[in-house]
Amino acid sequence: MDTIHIHGGQRLSGRIPISGAKNAALTLLPCALLTDEELILGNLPRLADVDTFGHLLNQLGVTTSVAGARGNEFGRRMTLSAARITSTVAPYDIVRKMRASILVLGPLLARSGEATVSLPGGCAIGTRPVDLHLKALEALGAEIEMTAGYVKARAPDGGLTGGQISFPIVSVGATENALMAAVLAKGRSEIVNAAREPEIVDLCRLLVAMGASIEGIGTDHLVIEGRDRLHGARYDVMPDRIEAGSYACAAAITGGEIDLMGAKAAEMPAILHALRDAGVAVTEHDRGIRVAADGRLKPLTLSTAPHPAFPTDMQAQFMAMLCLGDGASLLTETIFENRYMHVPELVRMGADVEITGRSAVVRGVDQLVGAPVMATDLRASMSLVLAGLAARGETVVSRVYHLDRGYERLEEKLSAVGAAIERRSDG
Ligand code: EPU
């Protein structure tokens, strides 16, 4: 299995191209199921999860072809065609590898009138139920049955009908499934307390490009007029705000200066705000965002919450950075109940972090020390890479497959800005 070896202590400087957003790609891909015409998605990141989603769609009868980026360019273009859906079953084998597979439920149901999707089960960061996805589809007339670990959903004769969906808590995935179903339902649907993450805006824009009618895009109240059919479209995936934020932390933790090429400041207000509060200089320019740090970072008090507040997907990376802050920081995780799996590993590198319930007190130390480490999820793994970039000596990160799910060519991008980082294949 591959490992990533980092010799810490290099100041990073230069440009990092930001890839297409993983979490946008994973909700744009299932939109191919909504039309019998071609969907062409550009700027798709080269990530294990994108490949897995492609395989899932293939099993449902969607044909996919990929045009690779040339030379050193990043991003790929995929042409998807669901002229005929040949299966409405998303099997356990794929769903267990990638929870986002649940996002075929809404579009399959809307287009084919039925869908059977394995229940994803819990994962490293929490129990992550899908009850809100199911309630939303029921509000559109679906009948749902649970059998042998599968969700079986069926639309009434004549298809889904518009309905009122009111979420008790904000859910990115449930909002996405609700939207993808409502665009083909008969009549008007309303989604109240919708998630308004930039990835949801990206989804809405693609759906509109396919002929959908959606009002309130970017707000927590979406109104959808269902259409009889949607047509094909060409669309480019938005830049990955979490990848950009992660590399901003890399600049900050090494006292470096990085241009995040293609990143959009408007899509990451809370991340940039927190960086500035920590004493990092953040400047927007016409091709991206420059972040520059000099000296010790100031401690922060941060609480994760749905967009536009500070994202849970940046909590681990900020924690790594604040381990070297000038004082005590307080981080509170409100979205997932078990998203501190990186803490014991950071502590093994010399960090001083104490967890009480949903909060973590991070007392800044003078130095981190390299160690062999591993994490159980994507963002936690990235926090260990960040700590390794600043630590004295060598850090060896194992279970690299977590990183490969969400960071395109991580070691290539980091070595291009001066990091001593390499991937080794040990067999
Ligand atoms: N929730 C329920 N019931 C549901 C759905 C969600 O109780 O039916 C709860 C969850 O357990 C959680 C909260 O609602 O406590 C929010 O979860 P949400 O549904 O918003 O998360 P998600 O759609 O499963 C996406 C991202 C995550 C990101 C979260 C929060 C994708 C593929 N995944 O997950 O990304 O952390 O939104 O922003 O878009 C990552 O990229 O590392 C990652 C985990």
Side-chain angles (χ1 to χ4, degrees):
M1 246 192 264
D2 291 1
T3 44
I4 286 193
H5 296 243
I6 305 165
H7 270 280
Q10 319 295 323
R11 180 181 175 274
L12 304 188
S13 154
R15 294 173 167 193
I16 294 187
I18 299 306
S19 296
K22 170 184 78 98
N23 288 348
L26 295 181
T27 188
L28 301 188
L29 286 163
C31 291
L33 294 164
L34 292 168
T35 175
D36 58 5
E37 295 183 18
E38 262 180 16
L39 176 64
I40 302 173
L41 292 178
N43 199 34
L44 274 176
R46 289 169 190 262
L47 295 172
D49 274 10
V50 169
D51 294 341
T52 308
F53 215 112
H55 294 148
L56 171 58
L57 291 174
N58 293 152
Q59 292 215 0
L60 306 176
V62 182
T63 60
T64 51
S65 65
V66 177
R70 289 178 306 278
N72 283 330
E73 280 174 46
F74 293 88
R76 290 181 297 179
R77 196 174 66 239
M78 193 185 279
T79 302
L80 303 103
S81 169
R84 218 166 58 81
I85 291 173
T86 54
S87 162
T88 54
V89 182
Y92 176 65
D93 236 27
I94 294 192
V95 180
R96 77 182 165 84
K97 278 197 222 145
M98 187 185 58
R99 294 184 49 85
S101 308
I102 191 77
L103 295 176
V104 300
L105 185 60
L108 268 182
L109 183 63
R111 169 106 178 267
S112 300
E114 59 175 31
T116 304
V117 178
S118 169
L119 278 166
C123 77
I125 60 177
T127 50
R128 304 183 76 178
V130 293
D131 56 317
L132 301 176
H133 298 240
L134 307 186
K135 289 215 173 78
L137 298 175
E138 278 173 343
L140 303 180
E143 270 186 34
I144 306 232
E145 198 190 322
M146 306 286 221
T147 40
Y150 278 77
V151 178
K152 224 175 159 127
R154 195 173 281 282
D157 291 343
L160 295 175
T161 47
Q164 183 82 19
I165 298 164
S166 183
F167 288 119
I169 57 166
V170 176
S171 162
V172 172
T175 302
E176 291 167 345
N177 250 330
L179 266 165
M180 289 186 282
V183 288
L184 282 184
K186 283 196 175 47
R188 183 186 172 94
S189 297
E190 271 188 66
I191 309 179
V192 177
N193 201 22
R196 47 191 163 134
E197 268 63 8
E199 292 76 15
I200 304 267
V201 173
D202 219 31
L203 169 63
C204 289
R205 288 195 180 133
L206 169 62
L207 292 171
V208 168
M210 294 172 74
S213 160
I214 307 171
E215 275 172 35
I217 296 175
T219 74
D220 63 357
H221 188 163
L222 299 167
V223 180
I224 301 113
E225 291 292 344
R227 298 280 192 236
D228 290 341
R229 62 185 303 273
L230 296 183
H231 53 72
R234 270 175 185 265
Y235 192 82
D236 282 342
V237 180
M238 65 177 277
D240 196 316
R241 65 195 170 103
I242 305 299
E243 187 198 26
S246 302
Y247 290 129
C249 290
I253 202 169
T254 63
E257 183 170 332
I258 296 181
D259 283 297
L260 308 162
M261 306 304 292
K264 298 227 168 81
E267 285 163 357
M268 40 194 297
I271 299 171
L272 300 183
H273 191 266
L275 285 165
R276 288 192 175 107
D277 280 354
V280 177
V282 178
T283 338
E284 240 182 287
H285 54 77
D286 55 355
R287 297 185 59 200
I289 304 170
R290 171 169 303 165
V291 286
D294 186 10
R296 202 117 182 222
L297 298 165
K298 291 185 213 144
L300 298 177
T301 297
L302 287 175
S303 185
T304 65
H307 191 79
F310 187 81
T312 172
D313 289 347
M314 283 302 303
Q315 178 260 111
Q317 301 90 315
F318 264 72
M319 182 184 287
M321 189 179 96
L322 295 169
C323 284
L324 290 170
D326 187 18
S329 296
L330 178 66
L331 302 186
T332 305
E333 172 59 56
T334 73
I335 307 289
F336 293 111
E337 63 273 25
N338 192 26
R339 214 170 192 185
Y340 285 134
M341 300 297 278
H342 43 290
V343 170
E345 299 299 278
L346 290 172
V347 167
R348 291 180 55 248
M349 296 178 73
D352 181 350
V353 186
E354 196 184 323
I355 302 174
T356 317
R358 295 206 141 197
S359 293
V361 176
V362 183
R363 293 188 186 82
V365 294
D366 291 337
Q367 189 154 51
L368 293 172
V369 185
V373 288
M374 64 169 82
T376 44
D377 79 273
L378 168 62
R379 310 301 171 189
S381 301
M382 188 60 183
S383 82
L384 303 177
V385 170
L386 293 171
L389 290 171
R392 176 160 50 83
E394 191 184 47
T395 296
V396 181
V397 184
S398 48
R399 297 195 180 159
V400 172
Y401 51 85
H402 289 301
L403 289 164
D404 292 338
R405 294 183 65 173
Y407 290 94
E408 180 174 11
R409 306 197 218 173
L410 169 87
E411 63 279 12
E412 210 177 296
K413 291 189 185 190
L414 282 171
S415 38
V417 293
I421 180 168
E422 63 171 3
R423 177 188 294 249
R424 290 190 199 155
S425 271
D426 300 332

